[in-house]
Amino acid sequence: MPNNPPAEGNPVAHHTDDRSRALKPALESMTLLVAAVIVHDMATNRGVLLQRSENAKFAQGMWDLPVGKSGPGEPITETAVRELYEETGLMVKPESLKVAHIIHGAWGVEAPNGFLTVVFAAHDWTGEPENREPHKHAQVQWVDTDAIPDEFVETTAGALHHYVGGGQQRKSSPRSPRSQTMPCTAFSTAARPG
């Protein structure tokens, strides 16, 4: 790269520790990073689900996976571990998480610039599920994977059905052109309302 002085009209990059000016536009246009966890007891073929309370920001009364937003600079596996524990009391190790699905939404209640949800599967955990956030969730419980409630947040329902179906998406689920879901081996389309 030529070393031309600024007087010659060529821009010169300057390194600075003041990121506030440089990051503000980027932060305002960033996609929200989210983690969800399918806790699957393979011996009993059950998964841990939560039902959103009437106080939830969206999808009130609907079922969902344990799910939550990533903090600034937080690795997505740590987000999954933290959110699962905060919501259900279950503990998993980051290295035991396996990517099961990816969801990309063009818009969400807290994500006007879109969201990217990494859905993990966990087969090893400690603890028993409990509702640790009763202000957000009406209940947390084990549900047989053959009896997943129909009143489920669409995108995570699609990911869960794909996972328990061994890669087959449930046909009756409507799709939105504003979101896409991607099994970890392919790319397909769906939506997270709100």
Side-chain angles (χ1 to χ4, degrees):
M1 183 158 130
N3 186 8
N4 299 327
E8 294 181 15
N10 295 322
V12 175
H14 295 281
H15 295 281
T16 177
D17 288 333
D18 179 18
R19 296 181 182 190
S20 60
R21 287 188 301 150
L23 289 181
K24 186 171 176 27
L27 288 174
E28 290 174 355
S29 66
M30 287 182 68
T31 298
L32 183 64
L33 186 57
V34 179
V37 183
I38 299 168
V39 177
H40 186 205
D41 183 341
M42 296 174 71
T44 62
N45 202 31
R46 298 181 306 164
V48 173
L49 303 181
L50 54 86
Q51 184 180 31
R52 297 178 163 280
S53 77
E54 296 304 315
N55 300 323
K57 292 180 182 176
F58 77 98
Q60 294 85 356
M62 296 185 81
W63 290 88
D64 204 354
L65 296 171
V67 60
K69 300 181 295 276
S70 186
E74 181 180 39
I76 195 64
T77 52
E78 288 181 21
T79 302
V81 169
R82 176 181 53 76
E83 286 289 345
L84 180 65
Y85 181 74
E86 286 176 1
E87 294 183 346
T88 70
L90 297 176
M91 293 179 284
V92 296
K93 294 178 181 176
E95 60 271 14
S96 71
L97 297 170
K98 304 295 181 220
V99 174
H101 212 83
I102 305 291
I103 302 165
H104 177 250
W107 181 90
V109 170
E110 295 182 289
N113 297 306
F115 61 89
L116 183 71
T117 303
V118 179
V119 181
F120 293 98
H123 301 118
D124 298 311
W125 67 91
T126 58
E128 286 297 320
E130 62 179 295
N131 187 358
R132 295 187 47 146
E133 295 183 326
H135 59 287
K136 293 181 181 179
H137 309 120
Q139 58 182 316
V140 173
Q141 66 181 36
W142 287 105
V143 174
D144 189 292
T145 60
D146 294 328
I148 297 168
D150 289 332
E151 301 79 28
F152 210 104
V153 174
E154 185 181 344
T155 50
T156 49
L160 180 58
H161 283 290
H162 187 273
Y163 170 80
V164 299
Q168 299 300 312
Q169 192 85 0
R170 189 170 72 167
K171 301 286 185 213
S172 62
S173 170
R175 296 175 167 268
S176 167
R178 299 189 64 166
S179 298
Q180 300 175 342
T181 67
M182 297 164 273
C184 53
T185 58
F187 191 95
S188 61
T189 307
R192 182 171 185 90

